[in-house]
Coordinates of all heavy atoms in Angstrom, one line a residue:
M1 N 0.8 -1.3 0.0 CA 0.1 0.0 0.0 C 0.9 1.2 0.0 O 1.9 1.3 0.6 CB -0.9 0.0 1.3 CG -2.0 1.2 1.2 SD -2.9 1.3 2.7 CE -1.6 2.1 3.8
V2 N 0.4 2.3 -0.8 CA 1.0 3.6 -0.7 C -0.1 4.6 -0.2 O -1.2 4.5 -0.4 CB 1.8 4.0 -2.0 CG1 2.9 3.1 -2.3 CG2 0.7 4.0 -3.2
T3 N 0.5 5.7 0.3 CA -0.3 6.9 0.7 C 0.1 8.1 -0.1 O 1.2 8.4 0.1 CB -0.2 7.0 2.3 OG1 -0.6 5.9 2.9 CG2 -1.2 8.2 2.7
F4 N -1.0 8.7 -0.7 CA -0.7 10.0 -1.4 C -1.1 11.1 -0.4 O -2.3 11.1 0.1 CB -1.5 10.0 -2.6 CG -1.2 11.4 -3.4 CD1 -0.2 11.7 -3.9 CD2 -2.5 12.0 -3.5 CE1 -0.1 12.9 -4.7 CE2 -2.3 13.3 -4.2 CZ -1.2 13.7 -4.8
I5 N -0.3 12.1 -0.1 CA -0.6 13.2 0.7 C -0.5 14.6 -0.2 O 0.8 14.6 -0.6 CB 0.2 13.2 1.9 CG1 0.0 12.0 2.8 CG2 -0.1 14.5 2.8 CD1 0.7 11.9 4.1
N6 N -1.4 15.3 -0.3 CA -1.4 16.5 -1.1 C -1.8 17.6 -0.2 O -3.0 17.6 0.2 CB -2.2 16.3 -2.3 CG -1.9 17.4 -3.3 OD1 -1.0 18.4 -3.1 ND2 -2.4 17.2 -4.4
R7 N -0.9 18.6 0.1 CA -1.3 19.8 0.9 C -1.7 20.8 -0.1 O -1.0 21.2 -1.0 CB -0.1 20.3 1.8 CG 0.2 19.3 2.9 CD 1.4 19.7 3.7 NE 2.5 20.2 2.9 CZ 3.3 21.3 3.3 NH1 3.1 21.9 4.5 NH2 4.3 21.6 2.6
F8 N -2.8 21.4 0.1 CA -3.5 22.4 -0.8 C -3.4 23.9 -0.1 O -4.0 23.9 1.1 CB -4.9 22.1 -1.2 CG -5.1 21.0 -2.2 CD1 -5.3 19.8 -1.7 CD2 -4.8 21.2 -3.5 CE1 -5.5 18.7 -2.5 CE2 -5.1 20.0 -4.4 CZ -5.4 18.9 -3.9
T9 N -3.1 24.9 -0.7 CA -3.5 26.2 -0.3 C -4.5 26.9 -1.3 O -4.2 27.1 -2.4 CB -2.2 27.1 -0.2 OG1 -1.2 26.5 0.6 CG2 -2.5 28.6 0.2
V10 N -5.6 27.0 -0.9 CA -6.7 27.4 -1.7 C -6.7 29.0 -1.8 O -6.7 29.7 -0.8 CB -8.2 27.0 -1.2 CG1 -9.2 27.5 -1.9 CG2 -8.2 25.4 -1.1
T11 N -6.6 29.4 -3.1 CA -6.7 30.8 -3.4 C -7.8 31.3 -3.9 O -8.2 32.6 -4.0 CB -5.5 31.2 -4.3 OG1 -5.5 30.4 -5.5 CG2 -4.1 30.8 -3.7
G12 N -8.7 30.4 -4.3 CA -10.0 30.9 -4.9 C -11.1 30.5 -3.7 O -10.9 30.2 -2.6
P13 N -12.5 30.5 -4.2 CA -13.5 30.4 -3.2 C -13.5 29.0 -2.6 O -13.4 28.0 -3.5 CB -14.8 30.5 -4.0 CG -14.3 31.3 -5.2 CD -12.8 30.9 -5.4
A14 N -13.5 28.7 -1.5 CA -13.4 27.4 -0.7 C -14.5 26.5 -1.1 O -14.3 25.2 -1.3 CB -13.3 27.6 0.9
E15 N -15.7 27.0 -1.2 CA -16.8 26.2 -1.7 C -16.6 25.7 -2.9 O -17.1 24.5 -3.2 CB -18.2 27.0 -1.6 CG -18.4 27.5 -0.3 CD -17.7 28.9 0.1 OE1 -17.1 29.4 -0.8 OE2 -17.6 29.3 1.4
E16 N -16.1 26.4 -4.0 CA -15.9 25.9 -5.3 C -14.8 24.8 -5.3 O -14.9 23.8 -5.9 CB -15.5 27.1 -6.3 CG -15.5 26.6 -7.6 CD -15.2 27.8 -8.6 OE1 -15.2 29.0 -8.1 OE2 -14.9 27.6 -9.8
F17 N -13.8 25.0 -4.4 CA -12.6 24.1 -4.3 C -13.3 22.8 -3.9 O -12.9 21.7 -4.5 CB -11.6 24.6 -3.5 CG -10.5 23.6 -3.2 CD1 -9.4 23.2 -4.0 CD2 -10.5 22.9 -1.9 CE1 -8.5 22.3 -3.8 CE2 -9.6 21.9 -1.7 CZ -8.6 21.6 -2.6
E18 N -14.0 22.9 -2.8 CA -14.5 21.6 -2.3 C -15.5 20.9 -3.2 O -15.4 19.7 -3.4 CB -15.3 22.0 -1.0 CG -14.3 22.3 0.2 CD -15.0 22.7 1.4 OE1 -16.3 22.4 1.5 OE2 -14.4 23.3 2.3
R19 N -16.3 21.6 -4.0 CA -17.1 21.1 -5.0 C -16.3 20.4 -6.1 O -16.5 19.2 -6.5 CB -18.0 22.0 -5.7 CG -19.1 21.5 -6.6 CD -19.9 22.5 -7.3 NE -19.0 23.6 -8.1 CZ -18.4 23.3 -9.3 NH1 -18.5 22.2 -9.8 NH2 -17.7 24.3 -9.9
L20 N -15.3 21.0 -6.6 CA -14.4 20.4 -7.6 C -13.7 19.2 -7.1 O -13.4 18.3 -7.8 CB -13.4 21.5 -8.1 CG -14.0 22.6 -9.0 CD1 -13.0 23.7 -9.2 CD2 -14.6 22.1 -10.3
F21 N -13.2 19.3 -5.8 CA -12.5 18.2 -5.2 C -13.6 16.9 -5.1 O -13.0 15.8 -5.3 CB -12.0 18.5 -3.9 CG -10.8 17.5 -3.4 CD1 -9.6 17.7 -3.7 CD2 -11.3 16.3 -2.8 CE1 -8.7 16.7 -3.4 CE2 -10.4 15.4 -2.4 CZ -9.1 15.6 -2.7
E22 N -14.9 17.2 -4.9 CA -15.7 16.2 -4.8 C -15.8 15.5 -6.2 O -16.0 14.3 -6.3 CB -17.0 16.6 -4.3 CG -18.1 15.4 -4.2 CD -19.3 15.9 -3.5 OE1 -19.4 17.2 -3.0 OE2 -20.3 15.2 -3.5
D23 N -15.8 16.3 -7.2 CA -15.8 15.6 -8.6 C -14.5 14.8 -8.8 O -14.6 13.6 -9.4 CB -15.9 16.7 -9.6 CG -17.2 17.5 -9.7 OD1 -18.2 17.0 -9.1 OD2 -17.2 18.6 -10.2
T24 N -13.4 15.3 -8.3 CA -12.2 14.6 -8.5 C -12.2 13.3 -7.8 O -11.8 12.2 -8.2 CB -11.0 15.5 -8.1 OG1 -11.1 16.5 -8.9 CG2 -9.7 14.7 -8.3
S25 N -12.8 13.3 -6.5 CA -12.9 12.1 -5.7 C -13.7 11.1 -6.3 O -13.5 9.9 -6.4 CB -13.6 12.6 -4.3 OG -13.9 11.5 -3.5
A26 N -14.8 11.5 -7.1 CA -15.7 10.5 -7.7 C -14.9 10.0 -9.0 O -15.1 8.7 -9.2 CB -16.9 11.4 -8.3
F27 N -14.0 10.6 -9.6 CA -13.2 10.0 -10.6 C -12.3 9.1 -10.1 O -12.1 7.9 -10.6 CB -12.4 11.2 -11.3 CG -11.3 10.6 -12.2 CD1 -11.4 10.2 -13.4 CD2 -9.9 10.6 -11.6 CE1 -10.3 9.6 -14.2 CE2 -8.9 10.1 -12.3 CZ -9.1 9.6 -13.7
F28 N -11.6 9.2 -9.0 CA -10.6 8.4 -8.3 C -11.4 7.1 -7.8 O -10.8 6.0 -7.8 CB -9.8 9.0 -7.2 CG -8.7 9.8 -7.7 CD1 -8.6 11.1 -7.3 CD2 -7.8 9.3 -8.7 CE1 -7.6 12.0 -7.8 CE2 -6.7 10.1 -9.2 CZ -6.7 11.5 -8.6
R29 N -12.6 7.3 -7.3 CA -13.3 6.1 -6.8 C -13.4 4.9 -7.7 O -13.4 3.8 -7.3 CB -14.8 6.6 -6.4 CG -15.6 5.5 -5.8 CD -17.0 5.9 -5.7 NE -17.6 6.3 -7.1 CZ -18.4 7.3 -7.3 NH1 -18.8 8.0 -6.4 NH2 -18.8 7.6 -8.6
D30 N -13.5 5.2 -9.0 CA -13.6 4.1 -10.0 C -12.3 3.7 -10.6 O -12.3 2.8 -11.4 CB -14.6 4.7 -11.1 CG -16.0 4.9 -10.6 OD1 -16.4 4.2 -9.6 OD2 -16.5 5.8 -11.0
R31 N -11.1 4.2 -10.1 CA -9.9 3.8 -10.7 C -9.3 2.5 -9.9 O -9.5 2.4 -8.8 CB -8.8 4.9 -10.5 CG -9.2 6.2 -11.0 CD -9.6 6.4 -12.5 NE -8.9 5.6 -13.4 CZ -9.3 5.1 -14.6 NH1 -10.6 5.6 -15.0 NH2 -8.7 4.4 -15.3
P32 N -8.7 1.6 -10.7 CA -8.3 0.5 -10.2 C -7.0 0.8 -9.1 O -6.3 1.7 -9.3 CB -7.6 -0.3 -11.3 CG -8.3 0.3 -12.4 CD -8.6 1.6 -12.1
G33 N -7.2 0.1 -8.0 CA -6.1 0.4 -7.0 C -6.4 1.4 -5.9 O -5.9 1.4 -4.8
F34 N -7.6 2.1 -6.2 CA -7.9 3.2 -5.2 C -8.6 2.5 -4.1 O -9.5 1.7 -4.2 CB -8.8 4.1 -5.8 CG -9.4 5.2 -4.9 CD1 -8.6 6.4 -4.5 CD2 -10.7 5.1 -4.3 CE1 -9.2 7.3 -3.7 CE2 -11.2 6.0 -3.5 CZ -10.4 7.1 -3.1
L35 N -8.1 2.8 -2.8 CA -8.8 2.3 -1.5 C -9.7 3.4 -0.8 O -10.8 3.0 -0.6 CB -7.8 1.8 -0.7 CG -6.8 0.6 -1.1 CD1 -5.8 0.4 -0.1 CD2 -7.7 -0.6 -1.5
R36 N -9.2 4.5 -0.5 CA -10.0 5.5 0.2 C -9.2 6.8 0.2 O -7.9 6.8 0.0 CB -10.3 5.0 1.5 CG -9.2 5.0 2.5 CD -9.4 4.3 3.9 NE -9.8 2.9 3.8 CZ -8.9 1.9 3.6 NH1 -7.7 2.0 3.5 NH2 -9.5 0.7 3.4
H37 N -9.9 7.9 0.5 CA -9.3 9.2 0.8 C -10.1 10.0 1.7 O -11.3 9.7 2.0 CB -8.9 9.8 -0.4 CG -10.1 10.8 -1.0 ND1 -10.2 12.0 -0.5 CD2 -11.1 10.5 -1.8 CE1 -11.4 12.4 -1.1 NE2 -11.8 11.6 -1.9
R38 N -9.4 10.9 2.4 CA -10.1 12.0 3.1 C -9.6 13.3 2.8 O -8.4 13.5 2.5 CB -9.8 11.9 4.6 CG -10.3 10.6 5.1 CD -10.2 10.3 6.6 NE -8.8 10.2 6.9 CZ -8.2 10.5 8.1 NH1 -8.9 11.0 9.1 NH2 -6.9 10.3 8.3
L39 N -10.5 14.4 2.7 CA -10.0 15.7 2.4 C -10.3 16.4 3.8 O -11.3 16.4 4.3 CB -10.9 16.4 1.3 CG -10.6 17.8 1.1 CD1 -9.1 18.0 0.4 CD2 -11.6 18.5 0.1
L40 N -9.2 16.9 4.2 CA -9.2 17.6 5.5 C -9.0 19.1 5.3 O -8.2 19.5 4.6 CB -8.2 17.1 6.5 CG -8.0 15.4 6.6 CD1 -6.8 15.1 7.3 CD2 -9.4 15.0 7.3
R41 N -9.8 19.9 6.3 CA -9.6 21.4 6.2 C -9.1 21.8 7.5 O -9.4 21.3 8.6 CB -11.1 22.0 6.0 CG -10.9 23.6 5.9 CD -12.2 24.1 5.7 NE -13.3 23.6 6.6 CZ -14.5 23.3 6.4 NH1 -14.8 23.2 5.1 NH2 -15.4 22.9 7.3
H42 N -8.0 22.7 7.5 CA -7.4 23.1 8.7 C -8.4 23.8 9.6 O -9.2 24.4 9.1 CB -6.2 24.0 8.3 CG -5.3 24.3 9.4 ND1 -5.6 25.0 10.5 CD2 -4.0 23.9 9.4 CE1 -4.4 25.0 11.2 NE2 -3.5 24.3 10.7
T43 N -8.3 23.6 10.8 CA -9.4 24.2 11.7 C -9.0 25.6 12.0 O -9.9 26.3 12.4 CB -9.3 23.4 13.1 OG1 -8.1 23.4 13.6 CG2 -9.8 22.0 12.8
R44 N -7.8 26.1 11.9 CA -7.5 27.4 12.2 C -7.0 28.3 11.0 O -6.8 29.5 11.2 CB -6.5 27.6 13.4 CG -7.2 27.0 14.6 CD -6.2 26.9 15.8 NE -5.4 25.9 15.6 CZ -4.2 25.6 16.0 NH1 -3.5 26.6 16.6 NH2 -3.5 24.6 15.6
Q45 N -6.5 27.7 10.0 CA -5.9 28.4 8.9 C -6.9 28.3 7.6 O -7.0 27.2 7.0 CB -4.5 27.8 8.5 CG -3.7 28.4 7.6 CD -2.3 27.9 7.3 OE1 -2.0 27.0 8.0 NE2 -1.7 28.2 6.4
A46 N -7.5 29.4 7.3 CA -8.2 29.5 6.2 C -7.5 29.0 4.9 O -6.5 29.5 4.6 CB -8.9 31.0 6.1
G47 N -8.2 28.3 4.1 CA -7.7 27.9 2.8 C -6.7 26.7 2.8 O -6.1 26.5 1.7
A48 N -6.4 26.3 3.9 CA -5.4 25.1 4.1 C -6.2 23.8 4.1 O -7.1 23.5 5.1 CB -4.5 25.2 5.3
Y49 N -5.8 22.9 3.2 CA -6.5 21.5 3.2 C -5.4 20.5 3.0 O -4.3 20.8 2.4 CB -7.4 21.5 1.9 CG -8.6 22.3 2.0 CD1 -8.7 23.6 1.8 CD2 -9.8 21.7 2.2 CE1 -9.8 24.4 1.8 CE2 -11.0 22.4 2.3 CZ -11.0 23.8 2.2 OH -12.1 24.4 2.1
V50 N -5.7 19.3 3.3 CA -4.8 18.2 3.1 C -5.6 17.0 2.6 O -6.8 16.7 3.1 CB -4.1 17.6 4.4 CG1 -3.3 16.3 4.1 CG2 -3.2 18.8 4.8
N51 N -5.2 16.5 1.6 CA -6.0 15.2 1.0 C -5.0 14.0 1.3 O -3.7 14.0 1.1 CB -6.0 15.4 -0.6 CG -6.5 13.9 -1.2 OD1 -7.4 13.3 -0.6 ND2 -5.9 13.6 -2.2
I52 N -5.6 13.0 2.0 CA -4.8 11.9 2.2 C -5.5 10.6 1.6 O -6.7 10.3 1.8 CB -4.8 11.5 3.9 CG1 -4.2 12.7 4.5 CG2 -4.1 10.3 4.2 CD1 -4.3 12.8 6.0
A53 N -4.7 9.9 0.6 CA -5.5 8.9 -0.2 C -4.6 7.7 0.0 O -3.3 7.7 -0.1 CB -5.6 9.3 -1.7
E54 N -5.2 6.6 0.0 CA -4.5 5.2 0.1 C -4.8 4.5 -1.3 O -5.9 4.5 -1.6 CB -5.0 4.6 1.3 CG -4.7 5.1 2.6 CD -5.2 4.3 3.8 OE1 -5.9 3.4 3.6 OE2 -4.8 4.7 4.9
W55 N -3.8 3.8 -1.7 CA -3.8 3.1 -3.0 C -3.1 1.7 -2.6 O -2.3 1.7 -1.9 CB -3.0 3.9 -4.0 CG -3.7 5.1 -4.5 CD1 -3.7 6.3 -3.9 CD2 -4.6 5.2 -5.6 NE1 -4.5 7.3 -4.6 CE2 -5.0 6.6 -5.7 CE3 -4.9 4.4 -6.7 CZ2 -5.8 7.1 -6.6 CZ3 -5.6 4.8 -7.7 CH2 -6.1 6.2 -7.6
T56 N -3.6 0.8 -3.5 CA -2.9 -0.6 -3.3 C -1.4 -0.6 -3.7 O -0.7 -1.2 -3.0 CB -3.6 -1.7 -4.1 OG1 -3.5 -1.2 -5.5 CG2 -5.1 -1.9 -3.7
D57 N -1.1 0.3 -4.7 CA 0.3 0.3 -5.1 C 0.6 1.6 -5.8 O -0.3 2.3 -6.4 CB 0.6 -0.9 -6.0 CG -0.2 -1.1 -7.1 OD1 0.0 -0.5 -8.1 OD2 -1.3 -1.7 -7.0
A58 N 1.9 1.9 -6.0 CA 2.3 3.2 -6.6 C 2.0 3.1 -8.1 O 1.5 4.2 -8.7 CB 3.8 3.4 -6.5
A59 N 2.0 2.0 -8.8 CA 1.6 1.8 -10.2 C 0.1 2.3 -10.5 O -0.2 2.8 -11.4 CB 2.0 0.4 -10.7
S60 N -0.7 1.8 -9.6 CA -2.1 2.1 -9.7 C -2.3 3.7 -9.6 O -3.1 4.3 -10.2 CB -2.9 1.4 -8.6 OG -3.0 0.0 -8.9
F61 N -1.8 4.2 -8.6 CA -1.7 5.8 -8.5 C -1.3 6.5 -9.6 O -1.9 7.3 -10.2 CB -0.9 6.1 -7.1 CG -0.8 7.7 -7.1 CD1 -1.9 8.4 -6.6 CD2 0.4 8.2 -7.5 CE1 -1.7 9.8 -6.5 CE2 0.5 9.6 -7.3 CZ -0.5 10.4 -6.9
Q62 N -0.2 6.1 -10.1 CA 0.5 6.7 -11.3 C -0.5 6.6 -12.6 O -0.7 7.4 -13.3 CB 1.8 6.0 -11.7 CG 2.9 6.5 -10.7 CD 3.1 8.0 -10.6 OE1 3.0 8.8 -11.5 NE2 3.4 8.5 -9.3
A63 N -1.1 5.3 -12.7 CA -2.0 5.2 -13.8 C -3.2 6.2 -13.7 O -3.6 6.6 -14.7 CB -2.5 3.7 -14.0
A64 N -3.8 6.2 -12.6 CA -4.9 7.1 -12.3 C -4.5 8.7 -12.7 O -5.2 9.3 -13.3 CB -5.4 7.1 -10.9
V65 N -3.3 9.1 -12.1 CA -3.0 10.6 -12.4 C -2.5 10.9 -13.7 O -2.5 12.0 -14.1 CB -2.2 11.0 -11.3 CG1 -2.8 10.9 -9.9 CG2 -0.7 10.4 -11.4
T66 N -2.2 9.9 -14.4 CA -1.7 10.1 -15.9 C -2.9 9.7 -16.8 O -2.8 9.8 -18.1 CB -0.4 9.2 -16.3 OG1 -0.7 7.8 -16.1 CG2 0.7 9.7 -15.4
H67 N -4.0 9.2 -16.4 CA -5.1 9.0 -17.2 C -5.6 10.2 -17.8 O -5.8 11.2 -17.2 CB -6.2 8.3 -16.4 CG -7.4 7.7 -17.2 ND1 -8.4 8.5 -17.9 CD2 -7.7 6.4 -17.6 CE1 -9.2 7.8 -18.5 NE2 -8.9 6.5 -18.3
P68 N -5.9 10.2 -19.2 CA -6.3 11.4 -19.8 C -7.6 12.1 -19.2 O -7.6 13.3 -19.3 CB -6.7 10.9 -21.1 CG -6.0 9.8 -21.4 CD -5.8 9.0 -20.0
D69 N -8.4 11.4 -18.5 CA -9.7 12.0 -17.9 C -9.2 12.7 -16.7 O -10.2 13.4 -16.2 CB -10.7 10.9 -17.7 CG -11.2 10.4 -19.1 OD1 -11.1 11.0 -20.1 OD2 -11.9 9.2 -19.0
F70 N -8.1 12.4 -16.2 CA -7.8 13.2 -14.9 C -7.4 14.6 -15.2 O -7.5 15.4 -14.3 CB -6.6 12.5 -14.1 CG -6.2 13.2 -12.9 CD1 -7.1 13.5 -11.9 CD2 -4.9 13.7 -12.9 CE1 -6.6 14.1 -10.7 CE2 -4.3 14.4 -11.8 CZ -5.4 14.6 -10.8
A71 N -6.8 14.9 -16.4 CA -6.2 16.3 -16.7 C -7.3 17.4 -16.4 O -6.8 18.4 -15.8 CB -5.8 16.4 -18.1
P72 N -8.5 17.4 -16.8 CA -9.3 18.4 -16.5 C -9.7 18.6 -15.0 O -9.8 19.8 -14.6 CB -10.6 18.0 -17.2 CG -10.4 16.9 -18.1 CD -9.2 16.4 -17.7
H73 N -9.6 17.5 -14.1 CA -9.8 17.6 -12.8 C -8.6 18.4 -12.3 O -8.7 19.4 -11.3 CB -9.9 16.3 -12.1 CG -11.0 15.5 -12.4 ND1 -12.4 15.8 -11.9 CD2 -11.4 14.5 -13.3 CE1 -13.3 15.0 -12.4 NE2 -12.7 14.4 -13.3
A74 N -7.3 18.0 -12.6 CA -6.2 18.6 -12.1 C -6.2 20.2 -12.5 O -5.8 21.0 -11.6 CB -5.0 18.0 -12.7
A75 N -6.4 20.5 -13.7 CA -6.4 21.8 -14.1 C -7.5 22.7 -13.4 O -7.2 23.8 -13.0 CB -6.8 22.0 -15.7
A76 N -8.7 22.1 -13.1 CA -9.7 22.8 -12.3 C -9.2 23.2 -10.8 O -9.4 24.3 -10.4 CB -11.0 22.1 -12.2
L77 N -8.6 22.2 -10.2 CA -8.1 22.3 -8.8 C -6.8 23.3 -8.9 O -6.8 24.2 -8.0 CB -7.6 21.1 -8.2 CG -8.8 20.1 -7.9 CD1 -8.3 18.8 -7.6 CD2 -9.7 20.7 -6.9
R78 N -6.0 23.3 -10.0 CA -5.0 24.2 -10.0 C -5.3 25.6 -10.1 O -4.6 26.6 -9.8 CB -4.0 23.7 -11.1 CG -3.0 22.7 -10.7 CD -1.7 22.6 -11.8 NE -2.2 22.4 -13.0 CZ -2.4 21.1 -13.5 NH1 -2.2 20.0 -12.8 NH2 -2.8 20.9 -14.8
A79 N -6.5 25.9 -10.8 CA -6.9 27.2 -11.1 C -7.4 27.8 -9.7 O -7.5 29.1 -9.7 CB -8.1 27.2 -12.0
L80 N -7.7 27.0 -8.6 CA -8.1 27.5 -7.4 C -7.2 27.4 -6.2 O -7.4 27.8 -5.0 CB -9.5 26.9 -6.9 CG -10.7 27.1 -7.9 CD1 -11.9 26.4 -7.4 CD2 -11.0 28.7 -7.9
S81 N -6.1 26.6 -6.6 CA -5.2 26.3 -5.3 C -3.7 26.0 -5.8 O -3.5 25.9 -7.0 CB -5.6 25.1 -4.7 OG -5.6 24.0 -5.5
T82 N -2.7 26.1 -4.9 CA -1.5 25.5 -5.2 C -1.5 24.4 -4.3 O -2.2 24.1 -3.4 CB -0.5 26.5 -4.7 OG1 -0.6 26.8 -3.4 CG2 -0.5 27.7 -5.7
S83 N -0.5 23.4 -4.6 CA -0.5 22.2 -3.9 C 1.0 21.6 -3.8 O 1.9 22.0 -4.5 CB -1.3 21.0 -4.5 OG -0.9 20.7 -5.8
D84 N 1.1 20.6 -2.8 CA 2.5 20.0 -2.6 C 2.2 18.5 -2.5 O 2.0 18.0 -1.4 CB 3.0 20.6 -1.2 CG 4.3 20.0 -0.9 OD1 4.9 19.3 -1.9 OD2 4.7 20.0 0.3
P85 N 2.1 17.9 -3.6 CA 1.7 16.4 -3.7 C 3.0 15.5 -3.5 O 4.1 15.8 -4.0 CB 1.2 16.2 -5.0 CG 1.9 17.2 -6.0 CD 2.2 18.3 -5.0
N86 N 2.8 14.4 -2.7 CA 3.9 13.5 -2.5 C 3.3 12.1 -2.1 O 2.3 11.9 -1.6 CB 4.7 13.9 -1.3 CG 5.6 15.1 -1.5 OD1 6.6 15.1 -2.2 ND2 5.1 16.3 -1.0
L87 N 4.0 11.1 -2.5 CA 3.5 9.6 -2.3 C 4.5 9.1 -1.2 O 5.7 9.1 -1.3 CB 3.7 8.9 -3.6 CG 3.1 7.6 -3.8 CD1 1.6 7.7 -3.7 CD2 3.4 7.1 -5.2
Y88 N 3.9 8.3 -0.4 CA 4.6 7.8 0.8 C 4.3 6.3 0.9 O 3.2 5.8 0.6 CB 4.1 8.5 2.0 CG 4.5 9.9 2.2 CD1 3.6 10.9 1.7 CD2 5.6 10.4 2.8 CE1 3.9 12.2 1.8 CE2 5.9 11.7 2.8 CZ 5.0 12.6 2.4 OH 5.1 14.0 2.4
A89 N 5.4 5.5 1.5 CA 5.1 4.3 1.8 C 5.1 4.1 3.3 O 5.8 4.7 4.0 CB 6.4 3.2 1.3
P90 N 4.2 3.1 3.9 CA 4.2 3.1 5.2 C 5.5 2.4 6.0 O 6.1 1.5 5.3 CB 2.9 2.0 5.5 CG 2.7 1.5 4.1 CD 3.4 2.3 3.1
V91 N 5.6 2.9 7.1 CA 6.9 2.5 7.9 C 6.3 2.0 9.2 O 6.8 1.0 9.6 CB 7.8 3.7 8.1 CG1 8.9 3.2 9.0 CG2 8.4 4.1 6.9
L92 N 5.4 2.6 9.8 CA 4.8 2.2 11.2 C 3.5 2.6 11.2 O 3.0 3.7 10.9 CB 5.7 2.9 12.2 CG 5.2 2.8 13.7 CD1 5.4 1.2 14.2 CD2 5.9 3.7 14.6
E93 N 2.7 1.6 11.8 CA 1.2 1.9 12.0 C 0.9 1.3 13.4 O 1.2 0.2 13.7 CB 0.4 1.3 10.8 CG -1.0 1.6 10.9 CD -1.8 1.2 9.7 OE1 -1.1 1.2 8.7 OE2 -3.0 0.9 9.9
R94 N 0.1 2.2 14.1 CA -0.3 1.7 15.5 C -1.7 2.0 15.7 O -2.2 3.2 15.3 CB 0.5 2.2 16.6 CG 0.1 1.7 18.0 CD 1.1 2.1 19.0 NE 2.3 1.4 18.8 CZ 3.5 1.8 19.0 NH1 3.7 3.1 19.3 NH2 4.6 1.1 18.7
E95 N -2.5 1.2 16.3 CA -3.9 1.5 16.7 C -4.0 1.7 18.2 O -3.1 1.2 19.0 CB -4.8 0.3 16.1 CG -5.0 0.3 14.6 CD -6.0 -0.8 14.2 OE1 -6.8 -1.3 15.0 OE2 -5.9 -1.3 13.2
A96 N -5.1 2.3 18.7 CA -5.3 2.5 20.0 C -5.5 1.2 20.8 O -6.0 0.3 20.2 CB -6.5 3.5 20.4
A97 N -4.9 1.1 22.1 CA -5.2 0.0 22.7 C -6.8 -0.3 23.0 O -7.5 0.6 23.2 CB -4.6 0.0 24.0
P98 N -7.2 -1.4 23.1 CA -8.6 -1.8 23.5 C -9.0 -1.1 24.7 O -8.2 -1.1 25.7 CB -8.8 -3.2 23.5 CG -7.6 -3.8 22.9 CD -6.4 -2.7 23.0
R99 N -10.1 -0.4 24.7 CA -10.6 0.2 26.1 C -11.5 -0.9 26.9 O -12.2 -1.6 26.2 CB -11.5 1.5 25.6 CG -10.8 2.4 24.7 CD -9.8 3.2 25.5 NE -9.2 4.2 24.4 CZ -8.1 4.6 24.5 NH1 -7.1 4.1 25.3 NH2 -7.6 5.5 23.6
R100 N -11.3 -0.7 28.1 CA -12.1 -1.6 29.0 C -13.2 -0.9 29.6 O -13.3 0.1 29.8 CB -11.3 -2.2 30.1 CG -10.1 -2.9 29.5 CD -9.3 -3.5 30.6 NE -8.0 -3.7 30.0 CZ -7.0 -4.1 30.7 NH1 -7.1 -4.5 32.0 NH2 -5.8 -4.4 30.1

């Protein structure tokens, strides 16, 4: 599994960015290897968002973002924001201890 983390700084209307991101999310939902994602909005910094997406493997992620149908989604998001995208491999994962 790989995790894609993309930090966005939204320079346009937040509502429009979130709507466009929802469209992008629907595109990824149907791509092979996509597992899940979350779009997070900073609680104190306006315009700061983070997308955390999990994929089965790096090749599936690369195939999705190089698919011709992804280009319009990327262009629409770039028109409203800047981003810092990176792909990560897991090193350590821990869950909370069972509560009694």
Side-chain angles (χ1 to χ4, degrees):
M1 184 182 80
V2 294
T3 302
F4 176 68
I5 299 176
N6 196 354
R7 296 182 309 151
F8 290 96
T9 300
V10 176
T11 55
E15 300 80 15
E16 185 177 353
F17 172 80
E18 291 175 14
R19 182 186 59 73
L20 290 170
F21 197 91
E22 187 172 348
D23 293 343
T24 304
S25 172
F27 166 80
F28 283 129
R29 177 190 59 222
D30 298 328
R31 304 307 321 156
F34 176 77
L35 298 173
R36 71 189 60 81
H37 85 88
R38 293 184 296 160
L39 179 64
L40 310 171
R41 181 177 53 227
H42 198 289
T43 60
R44 292 175 286 152
Q45 187 178 349
Y49 289 79
V50 175
N51 172 40
I52 302 171
E54 294 177 355
W55 291 80
T56 56
D57 56 88
S60 294
F61 169 78
Q62 290 300 328
V65 297
T66 58
H67 191 283
D69 291 345
F70 176 64
H73 294 282
L77 292 171
R78 274 195 302 272
L80 296 175
S81 65
T82 59
S83 67
D84 180 22
N86 292 284
L87 197 59
Y88 296 85
V91 175
L92 175 67
E93 186 172 332
R94 178 170 292 140
E95 294 182 18
R99 307 287 183 214
R100 294 180 208 178

